[in-house]
Amino acid sequence: MHKLLKLRFVPNGRICLHVSRYISTTIGCLNLNGFMHISAGLCIKLRQIYIFFKDFTRLTANSDRLKVSNMTSFEESVRFKYRQRTVPPFSIKSENQTAVPRKQAFVLDTKTIRNHLYSTRNEKNFTSKSKDNLKSGARCILCSLLGEKADKKIWEKEKPVALLSIIGGSDEYLPTETIRNQLKSGLLAIMKTINIWIITEGSKTGVAVIVKEVIQGNIGKSIPHVFHRDSSITHEDRNTGQAETTSVEDCILDHIKIPLIMIIVGGEQDSFEIAMSNLEKKVPVLVIDGSGSAADFISKGYRMSTHKKSEEKTLFYDTFKSEMTDAAKSIFTSNDEQNTSDSSCEILAEQLHNGLEINRKCIYVHSVNDTTYTLERTIQDILFQLFCEDTKNSLQLQRSILRFVNLWNRPDIAEKEIFNLENRKVLKILQEELCTKSSLAELFKNSLVSDRVDMVRLVLEFIPVKELYEKFLNIHIKDLYKDTGNITGHLIGKDASTEKNIVVRINEAVIKILGSKEMKPFSADAEKEGIRDKDIFKHLFIWSVLMNRKELAMLFWKKEDKDFICSALYASSLAKKLAENASVEAYTDQQAAFWESHRYYEDLAYSVMTEMYFEDKTQARQLLVTEVESYNFTTIFEITENSTLMKFMGHAACQTQMNKIWKGCILSDTSNLKAITAAFIPILILNIVNIEDGQHGKSDVSKTPEQENNSNGTSPQTPIEWGKLMRKLYYFYNSPLVKFFFFVVSYMAMLVIFSIFVLTDLYPMSEKYPSVKEWIVYVWAASTLTEEIRQAVVIKQLSLNTMTWFTFWTLYEILMYCLFITSVFMRLTLKAEDFYHARMMYSLTLGIFIINSMQFFLVSKHIGTKVIMIGRMMFDIFFFILIFAVFVFGFGIIYQATMYPNSILGYHLFKEIIYMPYWQLYGELFLENFEEKDPST
């Protein structure tokens, strides 16, 4: 048999030598006292030898590369393991006895051979601890699992933050879809931030499938190493000859000192025992409540006990043992084992009782039905607890916690462990690092960029020193504006390579957005000095508005010492203009968010003005026209008018102040009718209209009626003060109300004169020179055009944003004056035979001037709204005309092609196409053209 096996299975001489030794050893293990069973035992041994050769031949196909020392080590290991079989698979008894089958003590599988070959081949590349293990004869399970990557020392270069060991869930799928989703989302959230290693029950379990899906969805992030508990192998120490089993957790922790977290999902009795054994080692155990079986059993016991911190002991309910015993029976015992499981269930309850009594604080329960606290946050809590367990006041530990707080956005942990009064000394050291590139600076910067309001509020609360924030902004403000996904980041960030001061670049971007140099947020001095101490929170506020961080903007808005209404309206103006520009630029997805922010800031200013107007009406009205130094000496009314913030302008304070400005020095209780009447009868100014005395519109309210009559010049005993009278006349006729009235009268007079000379006195230059009426119209039109240009240059300062010019009345007035200039040019140059073109142009211009008078109705709160509606509908009418043109041209072309084929191309053809369908709209059917006879006959 020795020779036959040598020739049949393996042609290699060295391997045949190993085989011969193995067969000799194996046959020596047979019990020859039972001769009747020799043939049966021999067949079994031959079958094992065949399986061995089949696996061994496949695994050693490249055996020429192995060293002789490796083969010798393999030979000794295999021989030693099979020597341990003192009892064969079938014990041979006497003739009257039957063979009793027994369990095998060791099974030689391909995984063991592969792990051994990996460990011996890479022995030179292990860590010092791994070398010591190999020298003593024990194989390192971690090195075996990592295989060829062991030479890179992965546990040193890619050291994980934590090790998660997930037990339970041995079925292919977890009990419910909810548990699958929570595990998947929790693990994915952890993997996206830190490097972790995961251990599962086996490669075919539901947890392993979930981990595989999570890793596939985590492409581009740190890919964790995944180990399976079925990879644990039994090995022996060559020095002692004792068989040992090394778990994956123990082997990894033997190499790397990292936190271990045991997560139990469902599970049976063996999972419960593993959890209890780890609990004895004070390993944190995270129980997924609601996943079933062992997890529910532990979570129920956890709820039936409480931890008393003052005495550091665990208190249990009186019915703990009885209820937990019943729970163990219902969870772990089947119907066939009910009668024999009472003692085992009591043991399980006692084990849980002992574990909770000693290490209840190491158990964490996460319910699958809890939608407010996620699984990843629970794991983060455990890790933070482990980090803070030993050296709570260490500065290095605080920096490490800051790093993880930054990764996980945990302001609650930061407030509990760092930002508290008990941690003043360490916090004082940390706050000095805010102006450097430290962990605290990175935390604050990332919190701003990621819109973490709670974290920013926490930093601002415990670090009140403005100088630190000034230094922080000087270092990091350019990084804050590098958000290329935002329209403002595109405007400011694209000039990051230039050497311009960041304040100058912010001003240029805001001027481009608002379209006015007077609306820039920072003064010329700030552009020279850079970021100043008093502008710190204003910088952060402007940045928050431009980057559409609404809640952060509110936080910095409250930090400003003054100008709350102006700041809110300024933010509303920026958000509105950004929303309008977002539709033009390639940022339409941000348009809705900017519109929402615009309304929010305007409502904020409206509410503040309401409170202020309720407290002091005079001061509230005065605030509207007061220049604000921090916003380049602009006023609230200027900001409101520049951005057309109609809701705020409708506030009672704004309307009252506008009415006061509109009437000038005329008292507000004077009606418009009285003022208009007094405009034509100046003597009534003294007796009918009450004029505020004083150059600044202040009246002496302490005067008696007799004194007031004397001041108006009505007392017969007192002579008239001509200087005071002339001053009242000047204030009256200089008020906007009276000016507007006379402008309307003059405009109407111009229209009358314009209509008269167009209708009755319009001749070619060869026949008659322009009349006086025509020259009056020329002078009036030139004066109004000059006034419009003055307003654009001096008052509006020629807005840099061309989109602000495309309002209805602006375009209308430009068209009106262009037509008037064209009419005058044609009137002075055309000859008599072509003068009808000038006459048509004059008529059209006159009609445009008449329609322009509708602007006068805007001052009325009743008619003005109708005019605004008409102006907005003009743009809608244009689209209706386009639709109308489609049908007109469609019908006209069909009619023209059918009735008049082969027409001559030209203007006449175009007129004939639209002529028929257009007049049919007014009832002119042209039946004689269709029926070729008069319809009346």
Side-chain angles (χ1 to χ4, degrees):
M1 189 192 321
H2 182 113
K3 294 181 180 180
L4 178 62
L5 291 173
K6 180 177 180 181
L7 295 175
R8 173 65 180 86
F9 290 98
V10 185
N12 192 301
R14 183 185 294 120
I15 298 179
C16 291
L17 177 62
H18 300 326
V19 172
S20 63
R21 293 179 180 178
Y22 174 73
I23 294 175
S24 302
T25 304
T26 304
I27 296 177
C29 294
L30 296 175
N31 190 347
L32 299 178
N33 294 331
F35 183 77
M36 295 175 58
H37 301 284
I38 289 179
S39 57
L42 186 59
C43 291
I44 293 173
K45 287 298 176 181
L46 289 176
R47 183 176 179 274
Q48 293 178 352
I49 294 170
Y50 172 74
I51 295 174
F52 166 76
F53 274 110
K54 181 179 179 182
D55 294 336
F56 182 77
T57 304
R58 178 172 57 85
L59 291 172
T60 57
N62 298 323
S63 59
D64 292 339
R65 293 182 296 177
L66 299 177
K67 296 181 180 180
V68 177
S69 58
N70 292 343
M71 293 303 302
T72 306
S73 175
F74 172 76
E75 171 202 353
E76 294 176 358
S77 175
V78 172
R79 184 174 57 182
F80 185 84
K81 286 182 178 297
Y82 273 82
R83 282 177 180 174
Q84 287 187 321
R85 293 193 176 183
T86 54
V87 182
F90 288 90
S91 299
I92 308 301
K93 303 297 181 180
S94 60
E95 296 180 358
N96 298 328
Q97 291 179 334
T98 59
V100 180
R102 303 231 180 142
K103 295 184 178 180
Q104 296 183 1
F106 179 83
V107 177
L108 182 67
D109 58 358
T110 59
K111 188 176 296 183
T112 306
I113 301 171
R114 181 172 67 252
N115 290 341
H116 180 85
L117 291 176
Y118 282 151
S119 62
T120 53
R121 181 175 59 187
N122 298 298
E123 179 179 355
K124 296 182 180 180
N125 298 320
F126 290 163
T127 60
S128 59
K129 185 175 288 293
S130 302
K131 292 180 180 179
D132 295 339
N133 291 340
L134 288 172
K135 290 177 181 179
S136 63
R139 268 174 290 130
C140 172
I141 183 62
L142 178 61
C143 301
S144 299
L145 291 172
L146 292 178
E148 295 179 353
K149 295 182 180 181
D151 57 344
K152 300 178 183 179
K153 299 183 180 180
I154 282 184
W155 49 82
E156 294 181 1
K157 292 185 178 180
E158 300 181 5
K159 182 179 179 180
V161 176
L163 176 64
L164 303 183
S165 179
I166 306 176
I167 62 175
S170 57
D171 298 330
E172 187 174 355
Y173 297 99
L174 291 176
T176 62
E177 190 67 22
T178 303
I179 301 175
R180 288 178 59 87
N181 294 335
Q182 289 203 11
L183 264 181
K184 188 181 297 184
S185 60
L187 293 177
L188 183 60
I190 291 292
M191 291 179 185
K192 284 183 177 180
T193 54
I194 60 174
N195 183 24
I196 59 172
W197 287 4
I198 301 175
I199 302 174
T200 65
E201 290 280 8
S203 58
K204 300 299 183 180
T205 60
V207 174
V209 174
I210 291 177
V211 172
K212 182 179 179 181
E213 294 176 357
V214 170
I215 293 176
Q216 292 176 352
N218 195 38
I219 298 175
K221 306 292 182 179
S222 57
I223 305 299
H225 290 284
V226 180
F227 306 96
H228 304 295
R229 193 165 282 104
D230 56 7
S231 299
S232 302
I233 63 173
T234 303
H235 64 281
E236 76 288 342
D237 193 317
R238 287 197 294 253
N239 298 331
T240 62
Q242 299 293 329
E244 297 179 357
T245 301
T246 303
S247 65
V248 181
E249 294 95 332
D250 294 338
C251 188
I252 294 177
L253 297 178
D254 192 36
H255 285 84
I256 317 169
K257 300 302 181 183
I258 57 173
L260 169 64
I261 300 176
M262 183 73 64
I263 302 177
I264 177 169
V265 184
E268 300 301 329
Q269 184 173 344
D270 54 345
S271 301
F272 171 78
E273 293 175 353
I274 294 174
M276 290 299 103
S277 64
N278 281 275
L279 195 61
E280 293 178 0
K281 303 175 184 177
K282 295 186 178 181
V283 174
V285 177
L286 175 57
V287 182
I288 308 299
D289 186 20
S291 59
S293 300
D296 291 351
F297 180 71
I298 298 175
S299 61
K300 182 177 181 179
Y302 183 85
R303 290 192 299 268
M304 294 187 67
S305 61
T306 56
H307 182 70
K308 194 173 183 180
K309 293 185 178 180
S310 59
E311 300 179 5
E312 289 295 331
K313 67 177 183 179
T314 304
L315 303 179
F316 297 89
Y317 293 173
D318 296 336
T319 59
F320 177 85
K321 290 188 177 181
S322 60
E323 290 190 20
M324 295 311 301
T325 302
D326 295 338
K329 291 180 181 179
S330 61
I331 292 175
F332 297 111
T333 308
S334 61
N335 296 329
D336 299 335
E337 301 175 353
Q338 286 290 342
N339 298 329
T340 60
S341 62
D342 292 342
S343 59
S344 61
C345 292
E346 292 177 358
I347 294 174
L348 294 176
E350 186 65 26
Q351 286 181 342
L352 182 59
H353 181 277
N354 296 336
L356 291 171
E357 186 176 17
I358 301 174
N359 295 315
R360 186 182 185 274
K361 61 181 180 180
C362 294
I363 296 180
Y364 301 84
V365 178
H366 173 75
S367 176
V368 295
N369 300 319
D370 188 1
T371 57
T372 60
Y373 213 78
T374 58
L375 178 62
E376 64 269 15
R377 290 180 69 88
T378 306
I379 298 175
Q380 292 167 7
D381 290 340
I382 299 174
L383 290 175
F384 275 120
Q385 187 67 28
L386 294 174
F387 293 152
C388 304
E389 197 170 40
D390 299 329
T391 55
K392 190 172 183 179
N393 295 323
S394 173
L395 180 61
Q396 189 64 29
L397 176 64
Q398 302 293 326
R399 291 169 179 166
S400 178
I401 292 177
L402 280 176
R403 183 169 65 90
F404 288 109
V405 164
N406 185 19
L407 283 174
W408 295 332
N409 186 22
R410 295 298 303 271
D412 54 332
I413 299 295
E415 184 177 7
K416 179 181 178 183
E417 302 295 340
I418 299 176
F419 297 103
N420 55 68
L421 297 178
E422 298 178 357
N423 202 24
R424 290 190 298 269
K425 294 182 180 179
V426 177
L427 189 60
K428 186 177 181 180
I429 299 174
L430 286 176
Q431 71 179 7
E432 298 296 333
E433 299 179 354
L434 183 63
C435 53
T436 62
K437 293 187 177 181
S438 61
S439 56
L440 181 60
E442 285 295 318
L443 171 65
F444 189 60
K445 185 184 74 172
N446 292 338
S447 299
L448 290 173
V449 174
S450 302
D451 200 11
R452 303 172 181 175
V453 183
D454 294 335
M455 191 72 71
V456 174
R457 183 185 293 110
L458 195 61
V459 175
L460 293 176
E461 181 180 354
F462 282 90
I463 305 180
V465 185
K466 278 191 173 183
E467 290 77 6
L468 298 177
Y469 295 106
E470 180 183 356
K471 296 177 181 178
F472 170 83
L473 288 178
N474 284 320
I475 298 174
H476 297 284
I477 191 169
K478 293 182 180 179
D479 297 332
L480 296 179
Y481 280 104
K482 283 183 180 178
D483 185 3
T484 56
N486 188 284
I487 182 174
T488 311
H490 173 70
L491 293 175
I492 300 178
K494 66 181 180 180
D495 297 331
S497 59
T498 62
E499 297 180 356
K500 290 183 180 179
N501 187 355
I502 184 65
V503 181
V504 176
R505 281 164 39 197
I506 294 173
N507 276 342
E508 291 177 352
V510 172
I511 291 172
K512 184 176 181 181
I513 294 170
L514 296 179
S516 174
K517 291 184 179 180
E518 298 299 322
M519 296 291 290
K520 63 181 181 180
F522 302 104
S523 62
D525 295 336
E527 293 181 353
K528 297 177 182 178
E529 299 174 11
I531 299 176
R532 300 178 296 183
D533 183 19
K534 62 180 181 179
D535 293 336
I536 291 172
F537 295 116
K538 182 181 175 182
H539 268 286
L540 292 172
F541 174 73
I542 296 296
W543 171 84
S544 302
V545 174
L546 293 176
M547 292 297 172
N548 201 23
R549 308 287 197 273
K550 186 170 61 178
E551 295 183 0
L552 282 177
M554 276 295 300
L555 184 62
F556 298 124
W557 177 76
K558 294 177 182 179
K559 282 288 183 180
E560 291 192 79
D561 298 331
K562 55 183 180 179
D563 306 328
F564 296 103
I565 297 177
C566 187
S567 298
L569 291 175
Y570 196 85
S572 180
S573 302
L574 280 175
K576 182 178 181 180
K577 296 298 182 181
L578 286 170
E580 294 173 354
N581 294 335
S583 60
V584 179
E585 305 287 344
Y587 298 95
T588 54
D589 56 330
Q590 302 174 13
Q591 187 176 15
F594 277 118
W595 278 119
E596 182 182 355
S597 299
H598 150 66
R599 291 187 291 268
Y600 178 81
Y601 297 133
E602 188 177 7
D603 292 341
L604 180 63
Y606 189 95
S607 61
V608 176
M609 176 55 70
T610 301
E611 293 292 332
M612 191 172 182
Y613 190 69
F614 179 77
E615 294 292 334
D616 191 343
K617 293 182 175 59
T618 304
Q619 186 178 0
R621 290 195 297 265
Q622 186 63 31
L623 182 66
L624 296 172
V625 292
T626 303
E627 293 182 346
V628 182
E629 180 181 359
S630 58
Y631 285 94
N632 202 24
F633 296 96
T634 186
T635 64
I636 293 178
F637 266 162
E638 289 177 358
I639 297 175
T640 307
E641 186 272 336
N642 183 73
S643 301
T644 321
L645 305 178
M646 300 304 295
K647 181 176 181 179
F648 183 81
M649 188 60 76
H651 194 278
C654 297
Q655 291 297 307
T656 305
Q657 185 65 24
M658 285 290 293
N659 187 50
K660 186 177 180 61
I661 296 173
W662 175 247
K663 292 186 177 181
C665 292
I666 303 175
L667 294 178
S668 58
D669 58 351
T670 304
S671 65
N672 294 332
L673 181 60
K674 288 182 180 181
I676 293 172
T677 305
F680 292 100
I681 308 176
I683 193 64
L684 297 179
I685 296 176
L686 300 176
N687 298 324
I688 300 175
V689 180
N690 294 323
I691 305 297
E692 292 183 351
D693 193 10
Q695 185 176 357
H696 301 288
K698 296 181 179 178
S699 61
D700 191 359
V701 295
S702 63
K703 292 182 179 181
T704 62
E706 291 79 7
Q707 292 174 337
E708 185 176 356
N709 291 333
N710 293 337
S711 65
N712 290 331
T714 59
S715 175
Q717 292 81 9
T718 305
I720 298 175
E721 298 180 5
W722 293 102
K724 185 177 181 180
L725 177 61
M726 295 303 295
R727 191 166 59 250
K728 288 184 178 181
L729 291 175
Y730 172 78
Y731 289 151
F732 175 78
Y733 286 108
N734 200 43
S735 62
L737 171 61
V738 179
K739 284 183 176 180
F740 174 76
F741 174 72
F742 281 111
F743 177 75
V744 173
V745 173
S746 64
Y747 189 87
M748 294 301 175
M750 187 273 300
L751 289 181
V752 172
I753 296 174
F754 199 174
S755 301
I756 290 174
F757 99 79
V758 168
L759 292 172
T760 63
D761 196 10
L762 184 59
Y763 297 97
M765 290 293 294
S766 59
E767 298 180 6
K768 184 180 179 181
Y769 285 100
S771 62
V772 177
K773 296 186 290 296
E774 190 171 352
W775 282 110
I776 292 175
V777 173
Y778 291 166
V779 172
W780 191 97
S783 64
T784 54
L785 178 60
T786 304
E787 176 62 19
E788 291 291 338
I789 296 174
R790 186 193 70 84
Q791 291 180 10
V793 175
V794 178
I795 299 177
K796 297 182 180 179
Q797 302 231 334
L798 283 176
S799 175
L800 299 178
N801 190 352
T802 56
M803 292 301 297
T804 59
W805 286 87
F806 292 99
T807 60
F808 176 77
W809 290 112
T810 302
L811 294 175
Y812 190 88
E813 289 182 349
I814 292 174
L815 175 64
M816 181 180 69
Y817 286 109
C818 289
L819 290 176
F820 183 81
I821 294 173
T822 305
S823 301
V824 174
F825 178 77
M826 295 176 67
R827 191 246 187 281
L828 298 176
T829 56
L830 290 180
K831 297 181 180 180
E833 57 270 17
D834 297 328
F835 192 74
Y836 71 94
H837 294 294
R839 191 182 304 276
M840 291 177 58
M841 187 61 67
Y842 262 108
S843 302
L844 180 61
T845 304
L846 176 59
I848 297 294
F849 267 86
I850 294 174
I851 296 175
N852 186 54
S853 63
M854 290 182 64
Q855 292 191 67
F856 300 144
F857 298 125
L858 292 175
V859 298
S860 174
K861 61 182 179 181
H862 301 292
I863 308 178
T865 55
K866 310 300 187 297
V867 177
I868 294 175
M869 292 170 58
I870 293 173
R872 292 180 178 178
M873 286 191 297
M874 292 300 295
F875 294 97
D876 297 331
I877 291 175
F878 176 75
F879 295 106
F880 284 105
I881 291 175
L882 291 179
I883 298 174
F884 168 72
V886 172
F887 289 97
V888 168
F889 276 96
F891 177 77
I893 290 174
I894 295 174
Y895 171 78
Q896 186 70 20
T898 304
M899 300 296 296
Y900 306 100
N902 301 323
S903 300
I904 300 175
L905 181 63
Y907 171 74
H908 180 75
L909 176 62
F910 175 76
K911 187 180 72 171
E912 291 296 330
I913 290 175
I914 63 175
Y915 186 80
M916 175 72 69
Y918 176 76
W919 287 109
Q920 283 187 344
L921 291 175
Y922 301 99
E924 183 64 43
L925 303 179
F926 298 99
L927 295 179
E928 65 277 8
N929 295 340
F930 293 100
E931 299 180 359
E932 297 183 354
K933 62 179 180 178
D934 191 352
S936 61
T937 60

